[in-house]
């Protein structure tokens, strides 16, 4: 876990993600990434020189049979306030709109609910669980499907909501988080979305993995290029 903590702290400090008195809402999807981030930030708050608070927010998308009690119990265990927010996202995206490519609309709806809930709880920041693999995959998605050199930022201020979005895990790889979730025995819930594993992002994930055959460090090289040329970080 020391590797996880050190990488998160470096990202936080490189991009000044946490400031004195912050109240940070962690978007908890109940997957390995967001749960590991929640655990890490709950631990970091105990010794980080800038004092901050952490709350957990889970948006219930409306799929039948979802049990979030293990998430609530985990939050109680690590002394983090937990909020479960019901929604009709599943009904809107799949039953009413019948979206063939549901990910964008779904993400926008979830993000809107997460940000508005965070705002109502007095939070000034929202932490999302994107990691290094997500960064590289998003870069290629933008390049191949939108024809632009782009990737999300580690830290973004949203004027409309006055919320700052932070991504403390951008220096961690997916396999790091998979190992951490297993070691910590996190209460991971399988994604019930019918589009899971069938999206352009999944295809891009497979494409990025395939780049190893050309150069074993391709993913790291692309990430470093993004860090220097898109995010403007030289170190």
């Amino acid at each position: 876990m020391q590797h996880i903590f050190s990488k998160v702290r470096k990202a936080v400090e490189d991009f000044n993600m946490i400031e004195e008195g912050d109240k940070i809402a962690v978007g908890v999807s109940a997957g390995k990434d967001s749960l590991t981030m929640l655990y890490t930030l709950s631990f970091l708050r105990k010794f980080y020189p800038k004092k901050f608070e952490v709350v957990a927010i889970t948006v219930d998308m409306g799929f039948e049979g979802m049990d979030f009690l293990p998430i609530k119990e985990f939050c109680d265990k690590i002394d983090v306030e937990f909020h479960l927010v019901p929604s009709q996202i599943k009904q809107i995206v799949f039953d009413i709109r019948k979206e063939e490519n549901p990910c964008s609309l779904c993400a926008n709806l979830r993000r809107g609910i997460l940000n508005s809930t965070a705002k109502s709880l007095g939070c000034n920041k929202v932490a999302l669980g994107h990691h290094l693999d997500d960064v590289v995959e998003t870069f290629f998605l933008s390049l191949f499907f939108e024809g632009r050199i782009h990737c999300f930022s580690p830290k973004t201020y949203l004027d409309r909501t006055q919320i700052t979005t932070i991504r403390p895990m951008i220096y961690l790889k997916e396999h790091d988080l998979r190992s951490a979730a297993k070691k910590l025995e996190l209460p991971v819930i399988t994604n019930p979305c019918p589009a899971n594993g069938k999206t352009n992002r999944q295809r891009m994930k497979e494409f990025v993995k395939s780049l190893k055959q050309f150069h074993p460090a391709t993913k790291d090289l692309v990430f470093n290029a993004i860090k220097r040329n898109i995010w403007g970080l030289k170190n």
Side-chain angles (χ1 to χ4, degrees), residues 11 17 111 128 130 152-156 165-170:
M17 293 184 187
R111 195 71 52 79
L128 302 177
H130 297 116
F152 54 71
S153 298
K155 179 182 176 182
T156 306
T165 299
I166 60 174
R167 295 175 168 90
M169 298 202 302
I170 52 170

Side-chain angles (χ1 to χ4, degrees), residues 43-81:
F43 184 83
L44 185 65
R45 67 181 167 170
K46 297 176 182 178
F47 64 86
Y48 197 64
K50 298 177 182 178
K51 300 303 178 186
F52 65 96
E53 300 178 56
V54 176
V55 299
I57 300 175
T58 294
V59 177
D60 183 350
M61 295 175 57
F63 290 104
E64 294 182 4
M66 295 296 292
D67 179 14
F68 294 101
L69 181 59
I71 308 300
K72 169 67 166 60
E73 292 174 342
F74 174 68
C75 287
D76 290 341
K77 181 179 178 181
I78 61 175
D79 193 27
V80 170
E81 186 180 313

Side-chain angles (χ1 to χ4, degrees), residues 10 12 22 42 44 66 75 98 102 147 182 188:
K10 178 169 174 52
V12 165
D22 279 346
S42 73
L44 185 65
M66 295 296 292
C75 287
K98 302 184 186 299
K182 184 176 181 180
V188 175

Side-chain angles (χ1 to χ4, degrees), residues 6-194:
S6 64
K7 289 287 188 179
V8 167
R9 181 160 185 167
K10 178 169 174 52
V12 165
E13 294 180 350
D14 279 353
F15 296 97
N16 194 29
M17 293 184 187
I18 296 177
E19 298 168 291
E20 183 73 31
D22 279 346
K23 186 172 184 179
I24 302 173
V26 177
V28 179
S29 67
K32 68 181 187 313
D33 304 340
S34 61
L35 285 170
T36 302
M37 179 176 64
L38 177 62
Y39 177 85
T40 303
L41 289 180
S42 73
F43 184 83
L44 185 65
R45 67 181 167 170
K46 297 176 182 178
F47 64 86
Y48 197 64
K50 298 177 182 178
K51 300 303 178 186
F52 65 96
E53 300 178 56
V54 176
V55 299
I57 300 175
T58 294
V59 177
D60 183 350
M61 295 175 57
F63 290 104
E64 294 182 4
M66 295 296 292
D67 179 14
F68 294 101
L69 181 59
I71 308 300
K72 169 67 166 60
E73 292 174 342
F74 174 68
C75 287
D76 290 341
K77 181 179 178 181
I78 61 175
D79 193 27
V80 170
E81 186 180 313
F82 175 70
H83 296 270
L84 179 62
V85 185
S87 79
Q88 295 181 315
I89 292 177
K90 181 264 183 186
Q91 181 182 3
I92 293 170
V93 174
F94 293 101
D95 301 338
I96 298 174
R97 296 278 295 266
K98 302 184 186 299
E99 292 282 333
E100 292 185 7
N101 300 296
C103 296
S104 179
L105 176 60
C106 179
N108 287 336
L109 292 172
R110 282 188 293 117
R111 195 71 52 79
I113 294 171
L114 175 60
N115 289 341
S116 61
T117 303
K119 187 73 174 175
S120 71
L121 294 173
C123 299
N124 64 315
K125 289 181 178 173
V126 168
L128 302 177
H130 297 116
H131 47 69
L132 186 149
D133 295 68
D134 291 323
V135 172
V136 175
E137 291 157 18
T138 300
F139 170 80
F140 281 119
L141 281 167
S142 295
L143 181 63
F144 293 158
F145 290 93
E146 300 174 10
R148 60 178 181 148
I149 305 297
H150 172 75
C151 184
F152 54 71
S153 298
K155 179 182 176 182
T156 306
Y157 178 71
L158 306 173
D159 289 311
R160 187 167 55 84
T161 59
Q162 298 180 317
I163 290 284
T164 298
T165 299
I166 60 174
R167 295 175 168 90
M169 298 202 302
I170 52 170
Y171 288 164
L172 289 164
K173 295 181 179 178
E174 188 168 18
H175 68 78
D176 296 322
L177 303 178
R178 191 178 296 113
S179 298
K182 184 176 181 180
K183 182 176 182 179
L184 294 169
E185 299 182 337
L186 298 178
V188 175
I189 297 176
T190 302
N191 187 347
C193 177

